[in-house]
């Protein structure tokens, strides 16, 4: 199993190009199931998760042409040969579940494994299922699978989500594009990836309005056509590198950065004393800190446009050495503090009380072997290690490979002492 060896204490200086957004790419790839024409996605991130979804699409009969290392992925679902998404594939990556609605819309039926819980929480799919039922799908859960059929086709529906869910909003939106009549989604998620998906669907001939607001309207169309579409840049990757620079100190500029999507994070970093020049027109974000300690800042994760849960662990890593006490509340997922005990191994002073973590800033962190537990938690350990004294070994970094493209190359180019090694955990 691969691990990272990181020697902390070197400021980061240079430029980092932001890759395509994993969370957007995963939903954009699924659009190919809604048309028999080719869908070409550019700016695709080469990640374990996106490659993994490509394999599931192949299982369903989609022709996938995506050469290794290429950022253009060609998908052609001219003919589907299966409507079954097996447990082994959905279990490993939850976003695979989003093939259910599009398969029903395209073929009238589908059998898709339930994803199960994951390390950060229970993560049910009840809202996804309610939305599909409201559109006329008959659903049965049997042997861990959702067996779905819509004998008379899908029809538009008025859906009011009880909780804001990114996945359920996207799933309902994808499915409604081919339903008869109008679908209205209320209390919809407003994440930038939802707008990206709406734009892609509209480029295929769909009629989606309101994406980015709490009310989304989708007028169903007879058929969708193929498209060529560029995946939006990854705001979580960008935010992560911004925090790496803030933690290690130095002067880093992010190119191709989705500045407008990062408002909440930018204001928290500024509050903490980091100098940030944000240029929306040029899509650049310059992050600077030289020597002066960070100030403790409290926050609560919220659906967009609030502070994203996917950047919570990284922010906690920064707060470990800030001056003062920071209170970090996680409101989206119930078990998303697994990085806290690992950060404590580096000398952080963190007390977790339910959904709240109290972080008392210490003077410095000291290297230790630590273990990556989930995607965003893993990268918080990298951020902590970059600022710690000595050589930290981050074990089990396969989580990182799910969501960060060429992480050690990008950080290494800015002067970070970071090296990937294979073999037993240390
Ligand atoms: C997506 C992102 C993930 C991010 C999260 C919140 C992808 C691939 N993943 O996950 O990185 O952390 O948004 O921004 O895009 N819920 C229910 N019932 C449902 C669906 C969700 O109760 O049917 C709950 C979840 O358990 C959670 C909350 O709603 O507590 C928000 O989850 P959701 O927005 O759906 O997250 P994902 O789409 O799974």
């Amino acid at each position: 199993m691969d691990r990272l060896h990181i020697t902390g204490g070197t400021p980061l200086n240079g430029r980092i190009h932001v890759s395509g957004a994993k969370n957007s790419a995963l939903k954009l790839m699924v659009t190919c199931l809604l048309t028999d024409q080719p869908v070409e996605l550019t700016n695709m991130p080469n990640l374990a998760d996106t490659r993994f979804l490509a394999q599931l699409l192949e299982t369903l009969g989609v022709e996938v042409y995506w050469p290794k290392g290429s950022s253009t992925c060609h998908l052609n679902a001219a003919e589907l040969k299966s409507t079954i998404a097996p447990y082994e594939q959905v279990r490993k990556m939850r976003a695979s579940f989003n093939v259910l609605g599009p398969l029903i819309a395209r073929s009238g039926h589908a059998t898709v494994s339930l994803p199960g819980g994951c390390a950060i929480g229970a993560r049910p799919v009840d809202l996804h299922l309610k939305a599909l039922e409201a559109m006329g799908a008959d659903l049965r859960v049997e042997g861990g699978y959702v067996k779905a059929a819509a004998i008379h086709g899908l029809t538009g529906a008025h859906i009011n989500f009880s909780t804001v869910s990114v996945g359920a909003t996207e799933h309902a939106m994808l499915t409604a594009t081919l339903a008869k009549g109008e679908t209205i989604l209320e209390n919809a998620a407003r994440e930038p990836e939802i707008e990206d998906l709406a734009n892609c669907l509209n480029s295929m001939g769909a009629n989606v309005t309101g994406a980015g607001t709490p009310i989304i309207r989708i007028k169903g169309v007879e058929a969708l056509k193929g498209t060529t579409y560029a995946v939006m840049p990854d705001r979580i990757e960008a935010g992560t590198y911004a925090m790496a620079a803030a933690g290690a100190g130095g002067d880093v500029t992010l190119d191709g950065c989705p500045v407008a999507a990062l408002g909440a994070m930018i204001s928290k970093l500024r509050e903490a004393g980091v100098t940030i020049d944000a240029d929306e027109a040029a899509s650049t974000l310059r992050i600077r800190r030289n020597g002066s300690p960070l100030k403790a800042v409290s926050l609560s994760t919220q659906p967009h446009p609030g502070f994203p849960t996917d950047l919570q662990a990284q922010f906690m890593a920064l707060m470990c050495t800030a001056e003062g006490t920071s209170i970090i509340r996680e409101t989206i997922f119930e078990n998303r503090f697994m990085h806290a005990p690992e950060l404590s191994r580096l000398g952080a002073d963190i007390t977790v009380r339910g959904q709240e973590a109290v972080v008392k800033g210490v003077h410095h962190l000291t290297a230790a072997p630590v273990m990556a537990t989930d995607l965003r938690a893993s990268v918080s350990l990298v951020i902590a290690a970059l600022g710690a004294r000595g050589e930290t070994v981050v074990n089990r970094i396969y989580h990182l490979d799910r969501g960060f493209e060429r992480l050690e190359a990008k950080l290494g180019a800015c002067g970070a002492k970071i090296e990937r090694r294979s073999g037993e955990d240390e």
Side-chain angles (χ1 to χ4, degrees), residues 286-356:
R286 183 175 177 197
I287 304 100
R288 279 176 293 163
R289 186 169 76 85
N290 41 20
S292 51
L294 291 166
K295 292 190 264 275
V297 171
S298 295
L299 63 79
S300 182
T301 61
Q302 296 293 338
H304 193 76
F307 192 93
T309 173
D310 285 351
L311 289 175
Q312 178 258 106
Q314 297 88 317
F315 195 79
M316 190 185 291
L318 281 190
M319 290 299 102
C320 291
T321 50
E323 272 180 349
T325 298
S326 150
I327 296 173
I328 297 180
R329 268 185 74 76
E330 171 58 52
T331 72
I332 311 289
F333 293 110
E334 62 268 33
N335 189 24
R336 209 171 199 184
F337 285 141
M338 282 169 306
H339 41 286
E342 297 299 311
L343 291 170
S344 299
R345 289 179 49 75
L346 298 173
D349 181 348
I350 305 171
T351 312
V352 174
R353 296 195 212 113
Q355 296 300 94
E356 221 170 68

Side-chain angles (χ1 to χ4, degrees), residues 16 30 42 115 158 213 249 270 311 343 403:
I16 296 180
V30 172
T42 61
H158 194 144
T213 78
R270 283 186 175 143
L311 289 175
L343 291 170

Side-chain angles (χ1 to χ4, degrees), residues 70-84:
S70 164
S71 59
T72 302
C73 170
H74 305 259
L75 302 161
N76 190 341
E79 252 175 87
L80 294 181
K81 61 174 192 239
S82 165
T83 54
I84 302 174

Side-chain angles (χ1 to χ4, degrees), residues 338 342 345 369-374 378 381 393-396 425:
M338 282 169 306
E342 297 299 311
R345 289 179 49 75
V370 288
M371 195 159 77
T373 47
D374 71 62
S378 320
L381 300 174
V393 181
V394 183
N395 290 300
R396 310 216 170 163
D425 286 359

Side-chain angles (χ1 to χ4, degrees), residues 22-24 26-27 49 93-95 98 120-130 161-170 189 191 193 235-236 302-304 308-311 330-334 336 375-376 402:
K22 170 184 87 81
N23 284 355
S24 200
L26 292 173
K27 321 306 163 60
D49 273 13
M93 211 225 352
R94 297 179 52 83
N98 278 19
I120 61 174
R123 300 184 88 175
V125 286
D126 54 319
L127 300 173
H128 297 236
L129 300 182
K130 275 188 199 146
F161 292 110
S162 54
T163 305
V164 178
S165 161
V166 176
T169 302
E170 290 167 333
E191 268 64 7
E193 292 76 19
R235 66 194 167 100
I236 304 302
Q302 296 293 338
H304 193 76
T309 173
D310 285 351
L311 289 175
E330 171 58 52
T331 72
I332 311 289
F333 293 110
E334 62 268 33
R336 209 171 199 184
L375 175 55
R376 312 303 178 185
R402 287 186 41 215

Side-chain angles (χ1 to χ4, degrees), residues 2-347:
D2 286 4
R3 55 182 191 273
L4 287 177
H5 290 248
I6 301 166
T7 306
T10 315
L12 301 180
N13 285 293
R15 304 186 85 95
I16 296 180
H17 187 83
V18 179
S19 296
K22 170 184 87 81
N23 284 355
S24 200
L26 292 173
K27 321 306 163 60
L28 296 175
M29 290 172 81
V30 172
T31 63
C32 77
L33 295 173
L34 297 165
T35 173
D36 58 8
Q37 295 180 15
V39 169
E40 185 185 76
L41 298 174
T42 61
N43 199 33
M44 277 288 287
N46 273 288
L47 298 168
D49 273 13
T50 44
R51 291 281 167 186
F52 190 76
L53 182 58
Q55 278 172 24
L56 169 63
L57 293 173
E58 276 179 330
T59 308
L60 301 174
V62 178
E63 272 178 42
V64 180
Y65 176 69
W66 188 10
K68 213 169 171 243
S70 164
S71 59
T72 302
C73 170
H74 305 259
L75 302 161
N76 190 341
E79 252 175 87
L80 294 181
K81 61 174 192 239
S82 165
T83 54
I84 302 174
Y87 177 57
E88 306 74 60
Q89 289 184 305
V90 184
R91 176 179 60 95
K92 279 201 205 149
M93 211 225 352
R94 297 179 52 83
S96 310
F97 189 69
N98 278 19
V99 301
L100 175 62
L103 283 175
I104 308 171
R106 174 85 183 267
S107 308
H109 60 92
T111 300
V112 175
S113 170
L114 284 165
C118 78
I120 61 174
R123 300 184 88 175
V125 286
D126 54 319
L127 300 173
H128 297 236
L129 300 182
K130 275 188 199 146
L132 299 181
E133 275 180 328
M135 285 186 241
D138 279 316
L139 306 177
R140 254 178 325 129
V141 176
E142 225 178 78
Y145 280 79
V146 179
K147 299 193 171 175
I151 306 163
H152 305 295
L154 296 166
T155 42
H158 194 144
I159 297 159
N160 194 340
F161 292 110
S162 54
T163 305
V164 178
S165 161
V166 176
T169 302
E170 290 167 333
H171 202 168
M173 204 161 89
L174 280 160
T175 311
T177 54
L178 292 179
K180 275 189 214 96
E182 188 179 36
T183 296
I184 301 175
L185 306 178
E186 276 195 66
N187 199 24
R190 290 185 277 162
E191 268 64 7
E193 292 76 19
I194 304 230
E195 284 183 70
D196 208 28
L197 179 59
N199 292 339
C200 178
L201 287 167
N202 286 340
S203 77
M204 297 168 74
N207 186 339
V208 182
T209 52
T213 78
I215 300 180
I216 301 177
R217 290 170 194 272
I218 306 118
K219 288 199 179 111
V221 295
E222 274 296 307
L224 293 179
K225 56 186 170 65
T227 189
T228 296
Y229 188 82
V231 180
M232 70 171 286
D234 198 317
R235 66 194 167 100
I236 304 302
E237 190 205 23
T240 299
Y241 290 130
M243 287 198 255
D251 184 348
V252 170
T253 298
L254 304 178
D255 292 312
C257 180
V259 174
L262 284 163
M265 184 212 68
I266 292 172
S267 53
K268 285 293 169 189
L269 285 189
R270 283 186 175 143
E271 250 183 85
V274 182
T275 307
I276 298 196
D277 305 313
D279 188 337
E280 213 175 307
S283 301
T284 57
L285 194 71
R286 183 175 177 197
I287 304 100
R288 279 176 293 163
R289 186 169 76 85
N290 41 20
S292 51
L294 291 166
K295 292 190 264 275
V297 171
S298 295
L299 63 79
S300 182
T301 61
Q302 296 293 338
H304 193 76
F307 192 93
T309 173
D310 285 351
L311 289 175
Q312 178 258 106
Q314 297 88 317
F315 195 79
M316 190 185 291
L318 281 190
M319 290 299 102
C320 291
T321 50
E323 272 180 349
T325 298
S326 150
I327 296 173
I328 297 180
R329 268 185 74 76
E330 171 58 52
T331 72
I332 311 289
F333 293 110
E334 62 268 33
N335 189 24
R336 209 171 199 184
F337 285 141
M338 282 169 306
H339 41 286
E342 297 299 311
L343 291 170
S344 299
R345 289 179 49 75
L346 298 173

